[in-house]
Amino acid sequence: MKVIISSNKKALLKSITENIDTHYTDSLATILISKKEGSITFITGKPPLCSHCTFILDTSSTYIKDAQFSIDGSFAKQLPYYFDENENEDIELNVHTLSSSVTSIELIHKDIKSNENALRRCECVAVYGAHLTYLKESGQRPTSTASKAAIERVIFESTETMPFEFLEMNVDKQHFKIQRNGDVEEVQFPDNLKLPVSLVLTEGITRKLDNLCKATEGDEIEVAQQGELLTFKTPETTITYSLAGVEEFFAKKPLKFIKEQHVIVSFYTFKMEVRHCLTEYKTIKKADSALLYLSDNKAAITFITPPYEFIQPITITKTCSKTKNSESLYRFSPKVLLGINIGDLTQAKSTRLDILKYENGERKLGVYFSLENKLPHRTISIEKDESQLPIVLALLEELDQNQADTKTQSTKQELQKDLFADVMEECDDY
């Protein structure tokens, strides 16, 4: 029989064949063909980490009949790549059968580089029973349904917080729990993120979930987490991933921190200065180092990267420093800061920033969506570095003096204008 799968299904086929581990000599892929449904189902992976996807066959398929068999995993993994994606070439497989069983599956590989065709044939074996068991159990597994749009938002937020080992989105507590280098911290849920169920991801799962969202045509995705197994279902595909180590992650307590300093500033102004300096000055972008100056009544963003010395004050609307007249300087990565998104820029004129000092000695800059939130929306690493404080103070003094001189000059000009106007009035009287 000739089995034809539409070319626009290659992404789905890739999404379930990419988890085939060819290091195992007994790695198999199972294929089920249904004459009644006019479909072909692929099951891949080693239980319990399996995937399966069902494709409706193209109407040009011929002599379709019921069949079930398994093939070598390496051959299955290459299937999406044997058909040219740029030419919209359909996946065409020839399944050879005897009266009682399937003997082989073959295809014609059109090699664009050599302009020669290759015949690629793989002998079939008896169906792998564990794959059939997985398929049955997968259909019985209870799931929660989320919109594709919500999952895409999850992927975006997860990508924004990389790198991480584990990321838990806790619906009940409305916060993220993130593990990096074995340490755990908590941050506030993003605004408008609506999830029906709590979810735990790794970086690898996040990337694969992104591919799944791009490949599916459905508007909903089902989610099921059972211990160290995480399963996603779309109308076409089911994929199970490993969350090995997640129980240890759940058991870990978030690092405690104290708020070393607390200010409310215009984050929009902050980001605009950083963006300007990184965009317009390659030397500054390459150095990827900026300084944040904080006192009990003043804040400034500073770049001291030869040959440049830039300082931009940031208006503080509220501050809370434990010591009066205290001055601190912190170094951070401006590239990382630009990755923080404040969704509503009309409110960004009053963004809360906290210097958080954790029990492991690390400091972070906490950025809050709301002034009332107990947890920051995002954090970035920041370190206290007062080696450049004398230079920063000198720059601030020079800027203040310049502004004072400008103000004095402006006042003199206004007085001269007023005096001139008075003289002209006296002349008019004559």
Side-chain angles (χ1 to χ4, degrees):
M1 55 181 144
K2 183 180 289 185
V3 174
I4 299 176
I5 304 171
S6 176
S7 61
N8 61 9
K9 301 298 182 183
K10 284 181 191 144
L12 280 173
L13 187 56
K14 284 179 184 177
S15 71
I16 66 159
T17 55
E18 68 179 1
N19 73 332
I20 297 175
D21 190 344
T22 55
H23 292 95
Y24 296 98
T25 55
D26 61 344
S27 179
L28 296 171
T30 295
I31 296 177
L32 310 177
I33 300 173
S34 170
K35 180 180 179 180
K36 180 181 178 181
E37 302 294 335
S39 66
I40 182 170
T41 298
F42 288 81
I43 311 170
T44 63
K46 292 185 74 68
L49 302 179
C50 293
S51 306
H52 71 84
C53 188
T54 299
F55 303 93
I56 299 301
L57 298 176
D58 190 86
T59 53
S60 56
S61 302
T62 58
Y63 303 108
I64 300 303
K65 62 180 181 180
D66 292 339
Q68 58 180 28
F69 53 92
S70 295
I71 59 174
D72 175 67
S74 294
F75 183 74
K77 193 163 188 170
Q78 290 302 311
L79 287 179
Y81 304 97
Y82 284 146
F83 301 90
D84 187 21
E85 194 166 354
N86 295 327
E87 297 294 327
N88 294 322
E89 184 183 5
D90 291 336
I91 298 170
E92 184 175 316
L93 307 173
N94 289 293
V95 182
H96 297 289
T97 62
L98 293 175
S99 56
S100 59
S101 64
V102 175
T103 60
S104 66
I105 184 170
E106 70 179 33
L107 58 91
I108 300 298
H109 176 202
K110 298 174 183 177
D111 194 333
I112 305 301
K113 294 180 180 179
S114 66
N115 208 26
E116 295 286 349
N117 292 346
L119 171 66
R120 305 200 184 276
R121 180 183 295 148
C122 181
E123 184 178 349
C124 303
V125 298
V127 67
Y128 183 31
H131 277 167
L132 299 182
T133 302
Y134 169 81
L135 188 63
K136 180 181 178 181
E137 292 177 348
S138 173
Q140 298 170 344
R141 187 173 294 132
T143 60
S144 299
T145 302
S147 69
K148 179 180 173 180
I151 296 296
E152 288 173 333
R153 177 74 187 278
V154 164
I155 293 166
F156 171 78
E157 295 294 344
S158 301
T159 304
E160 289 288 295
T161 59
M162 288 182 181
F164 59 82
E165 288 129 32
F166 288 103
L167 171 67
E168 179 192 17
M169 301 185 177
N170 192 305
V171 173
D172 297 328
K173 295 182 178 179
Q174 289 290 296
H175 69 213
F176 285 169
K177 181 180 176 183
I178 306 168
Q179 178 175 307
R180 297 186 182 96
N181 299 319
D183 292 329
V184 171
E185 68 170 321
E186 291 177 329
V187 296
Q188 195 74 32
F189 241 29
D191 284 0
N192 305 317
L193 178 57
K194 305 297 181 184
L195 281 178
V197 63
S198 297
L199 187 62
V200 180
L201 298 172
T202 65
E203 280 194 23
I205 293 175
T206 302
R207 294 188 179 96
K208 291 174 181 177
L209 183 57
D210 186 32
N211 292 335
L212 184 63
C213 282
K214 290 173 181 175
T216 184
E217 296 176 1
D219 294 325
E220 293 182 335
I221 294 178
E222 296 177 61
V223 182
Q225 184 178 335
Q226 295 178 323
E228 294 189 346
L229 300 178
L230 178 62
T231 300
F232 294 102
K233 291 185 178 182
T234 70
E236 314 94 338
T237 309
T238 297
I239 302 180
T240 300
Y241 299 110
S242 170
L243 284 173
V246 73
E247 295 301 332
E248 293 179 15
F249 166 65
F250 284 146
K252 286 187 175 181
K253 299 295 183 183
L255 288 171
K256 295 179 181 179
F257 61 80
I258 59 170
K259 295 172 186 176
E260 207 169 51
Q261 281 187 284
H262 161 83
V263 294
I264 296 175
V265 301
S266 168
F267 192 63
Y268 181 76
T269 304
F270 194 170
K271 283 190 71 173
M272 287 305 99
E273 172 64 8
V274 172
R275 180 172 286 115
H276 167 75
C277 291
L278 260 65
T279 302
E280 303 301 333
Y281 297 92
K282 292 181 179 178
T283 303
I284 290 178
K285 183 177 181 180
K286 185 177 180 181
D288 192 27
S289 177
L291 295 167
L292 174 63
Y293 168 82
L294 291 175
S295 70
D296 55 344
N297 61 0
K298 188 177 291 187
I301 176 75
T302 310
F303 291 91
I304 302 175
T305 307
Y308 311 114
E309 290 182 350
F310 298 158
I311 192 161
Q312 167 75 58
I314 307 165
T315 301
I316 289 181
T317 56
K318 185 179 179 182
T319 183
C320 176
S321 180
K322 291 186 176 180
T323 6
K324 289 292 181 185
N325 302 319
S326 64
E327 295 174 316
S328 301
L329 197 61
Y330 302 91
R331 186 177 300 278
F332 65 93
S333 162
K335 291 179 184 177
V336 174
L337 181 109
L338 288 181
I340 299 177
N341 293 310
I342 294 295
D344 186 358
L345 290 180
T346 62
Q347 297 299 319
K349 293 180 181 178
S350 54
T351 301
R352 174 180 162 192
L353 302 181
D354 285 359
I355 302 295
L356 309 175
K357 186 175 181 181
Y358 289 80
E359 56 186 315
N360 63 354
E362 184 180 2
R363 285 184 175 87
K364 292 191 177 184
L365 176 68
V367 183
Y368 294 72
F369 251 144
S370 164
L371 303 183
E372 292 76 30
N373 284 154
K374 293 182 179 179
L375 292 172
H377 164 60
R378 286 286 305 277
T379 64
I380 67 168
S381 292
I382 195 166
E383 58 180 300
K384 199 165 188 176
D385 180 4
E386 298 186 343
S387 61
Q388 305 282 2
L389 188 56
I391 298 176
V392 172
L393 293 176
L395 290 172
L396 282 172
E397 185 178 357
E398 186 177 341
L399 180 62
D400 289 343
Q401 185 61 49
N402 181 275
Q403 289 174 331
D405 292 345
T406 302
K407 186 175 181 180
T408 301
Q409 185 65 30
S410 176
T411 303
K412 286 181 179 179
Q413 290 176 351
E414 288 297 325
L415 289 173
Q416 288 174 349
K417 286 181 182 178
D418 292 342
L419 181 61
F420 180 75
D422 291 343
V423 171
M424 292 302 295
E425 284 179 7
E426 290 177 4
C427 291
D428 290 341
D429 290 342
Y430 289 103

